[in-house]
Amino acid sequence: MIIDEQRIMQDLARFVAIPSVSADPARTDDVARSAEVVAAAFRLVGVDAAPVVSGNGLPAVVGRLAGPPGAPTVLLYAHHDVQPVGDLDAWHSDPFTLTARDGRVYGRGAADDKGGVAVHLEALRALGPEPPVSVAVLIEGEEEIGSPTLAALLAEHADLVRADVVLAPDAVNAGPLAPTLTVSLRGILNVLVTVRTADRASHSGIFGGAVPDALGAMIRLLATLTDDDGAVAVDGLHPGVNGAEGPDAADLHADSGLSPGVQLVGRGSLGARLWHGPALTVTGLDAPAAAGAANVLTPVARAAVSLRLAPEEDPADAFRAVEQHLRKHTPWGAHLEVQLVAAGRGWRSEATSAVAGLAREVLGQVFGTPVTDVGVGGAIPFVATLIDSMPSADVLVTAVQDPQTRAHAADESVSVAALAAAARAEADLLSRLGHRTPSPIGE
C-alpha cells in the first residue's frame, strides 16, 4: 500500500485554511464550510458522506462505505472544528496557512484534529475503492466545545455510524514516532464565575478600605480552589487513582516550556496528577487591563475556570461540588453566579481485547517503536458518548500529536513523518481486521 505524504499535506493545507473555530459564533459559517469541504474529500475516496446537524448544533460529517458481506465495520472518528488562535503575535506563521519547518507542519488544527481527518483519507486511498472492511465516518464539528449535540446526532444517524471498532486519532503520542494507545481519558468541566459587589465603579480613594471590590473578591475566591501545593481543594470531587508512574519530571519541564525554577504542582505520582486525578486551571479573567487602570473599585469580575476530572467522575456531581465550594467561600457577601459552560465524562479501558492487541502490533511495526499504553489528561467527550451508543464496540484512541505539538496554543504543529506512519498503520490495521472473524453486526 502506497502512502503519499504530498497528498496528506494537500488535504491538510485545505482543511487548515478554514478557520472552523466552534467556540466563536462569528465563525459559524466557517465551521459549516469546513464540513462541506471534509464531506467532499471523503466522497472522492468513495464514502457516501454529507454534513449533518442535530438541533441547533454545528455540522458534523457522517458517511458509510460498504465492504465485503459479513466484514466488520470500522468507524473512523475525528473532528474538523478547532480552538481559537489566541494571541496572533505568539505565532511564527499564519495559523490558517499550513507552514512547513524542520519536518513539521504548523497551523491551527494541523494536529488537533484535522491531521486525524487527513490520516483517515490517506488510509482509505491506500486501500483502494473496495476496502476489506465496511467503513463508517464521523467527523465531528463540536468536539472543542464539549460535543453538546453528539448524543442526539448518534441516535439520529445510528444506521450510518454503527460499528464494531472505532479508530479515534485524537490523543497524544509519547514522541513524534513513539506510538501510544490511550486507555483512559479525564472528563472536563468548564464554568464561568461572576462576582459582583456593586452596581457601578467607585473612587478607590474615597471608598477603598471599607467597600470591597469585585476583582479582589474574585482573587480571594479563586485562591480557595487549590491548596498550597497546587492540588485541587474542592471537597466531593473523585480523587482518581495513584498507580500510574507517568512521564519523567525533566521531560515534563522541557515539553511544557516551564520557566527555570518554577516548581511542579499537585501531589502523588505524575501519572496520577496528569492522567487520573482532578486538575484546575483559571483559563480567563475579565478585569480592567493593568495598563492605564483607573483608581476605582471594580464592581464586577468574571473568571473562566476549567477542571479536568477523574475518568470515573460524573460531571454533574462535579459541578454541584464546585458550585457549593464557590458559594461557601465567596467573601464579604459578594453576589455570585456560576454558569455551566461545558461538561464531558471521562473514560477508562483496560484495552485488553484482541482488536487492541492487533492495533499494538500494527502500530509497533509501522512506527518501529513498541506501543506504550497511557492515560491522557485531556478530555474527549466523544468516547464516553459513543460507548453509551455502541457499548460493544472496541474503541481505539490513537494519536498524531506528540509533546512538541502545542495543541490549543500558538504554533500548533505535527510531525509529517508521524502523519504518514499513522496513515500507513491505519490502512494496515483495516486490512488485517478485514481478515478476522465476521462482524456480529454485518451489513
Side-chain angles (χ1 to χ4, degrees):
M1 290 180 287
I2 297 175
I3 298 298
D4 188 331
E5 285 187 6
Q6 185 175 359
R7 286 189 307 209
I8 297 174
M9 293 303 102
Q10 289 171 345
D11 284 334
L12 194 53
R14 191 164 66 253
F15 301 152
V16 167
I18 303 173
S20 50
V21 181
S22 53
D24 184 354
R27 295 295 190 184
T28 298
D29 289 345
D30 290 315
V31 178
R33 182 161 58 97
S34 175
E36 292 285 357
V37 170
V38 169
F42 276 99
R43 288 195 294 271
L44 287 175
V45 299
V47 179
D48 184 11
V52 298
V53 173
S54 180
N56 294 321
L58 295 169
V61 173
V62 300
R64 201 168 181 91
L65 173 60
T73 298
V74 180
L75 174 63
L76 306 181
Y77 171 86
H79 61 88
H80 68 94
D81 66 317
V82 299
Q83 284 279 320
V85 299
D87 182 6
L88 281 172
D89 291 338
W91 289 79
H92 288 83
S93 54
D94 179 4
F96 296 115
T97 300
L98 193 70
T99 305
R101 295 197 296 272
D102 301 323
R104 300 180 73 86
V105 286
Y106 292 76
R108 176 56 87 227
D112 185 19
D113 188 28
K114 292 178 177 181
V117 180
V119 164
H120 290 326
L121 287 165
E122 186 60 20
L124 291 176
R125 289 194 192 97
L127 291 171
E130 298 181 356
V133 296
S134 291
V135 174
V137 168
L138 171 59
I139 310 299
E140 197 184 350
E142 297 181 319
E143 195 275 345
E144 296 292 7
I145 55 172
S147 305
T149 68
L150 179 59
L153 189 145
L154 288 170
E156 292 165 13
H157 301 280
D159 288 345
L160 285 174
V161 299
R162 74 188 194 282
D164 306 293
V165 179
V166 179
L167 297 182
D170 195 23
V172 182
N173 284 324
L177 290 175
T180 65
L181 197 62
T182 295
V183 296
S184 71
L185 297 164
R186 286 193 292 196
I188 190 168
L189 177 71
N190 288 345
V191 297
L192 180 65
V193 182
T194 303
V195 170
R196 183 181 299 274
T197 53
D199 60 6
R200 62 183 181 276
S202 57
H203 195 299
S204 62
I206 296 174
F207 298 102
V211 174
D213 70 287
L215 185 55
M218 177 67 81
I219 291 168
R220 292 178 65 91
L221 178 58
L222 295 177
T224 69
L225 291 168
T226 54
D227 62 20
D228 289 344
D229 292 326
V232 178
V234 177
D235 291 337
L237 293 180
H238 194 294
V241 298
N242 195 32
E245 181 178 347
D248 178 80
D251 290 342
L252 185 59
H253 272 265
D255 292 341
S256 66
L258 199 63
S259 297
V262 176
Q263 301 173 2
L264 299 177
V265 298
R267 289 186 295 275
S269 70
L270 287 179
R273 284 184 258 177
L274 294 171
W275 303 336
H276 301 300
L280 187 144
T281 306
V282 179
T283 56
L285 189 64
D286 288 346
N295 287 319
V296 299
L297 303 176
T298 301
V300 181
R302 294 182 180 87
V305 178
S306 178
L307 284 100
R308 302 293 177 165
L309 307 174
E312 297 80 8
E313 180 73 271
D314 183 332
D317 292 341
F319 178 76
R320 285 190 289 271
V322 170
E323 184 177 31
Q324 182 177 353
H325 175 99
L326 291 169
R327 294 200 181 283
K328 178 180 177 182
H329 291 87
T330 301
W332 312 317
H335 295 185
L336 175 73
E337 179 184 352
V338 184
Q339 178 185 349
L340 176 63
V341 176
R345 285 189 293 123
W347 164 75
R348 189 182 298 281
S349 169
E350 296 301 325
T352 56
S353 70
V355 172
L358 180 61
R360 290 188 185 91
E361 180 183 336
V362 169
L363 287 165
Q365 289 173 348
V366 172
F367 279 81
T369 304
V371 173
T372 302
D373 287 2
V374 300
V376 169
I380 310 178
F382 153 78
V383 175
T385 304
L386 181 78
I387 290 173
D388 288 342
S389 175
M390 289 179 276
S392 63
D394 276 297
V395 179
L396 304 177
V397 181
T398 59
V400 297
Q401 300 180 48
D402 61 67
Q404 302 173 41
T405 287
R406 299 185 183 179
H408 295 197
D411 282 348
E412 177 182 342
S413 71
V414 66
S415 161
V416 176
L419 287 173
R424 190 181 309 280
E426 183 170 306
D428 191 6
L429 179 60
L430 293 176
S431 180
R432 294 175 68 174
L433 285 171
H435 295 91
R436 296 181 61 81
T437 304
S439 161
I441 293 179
E443 280 298 312

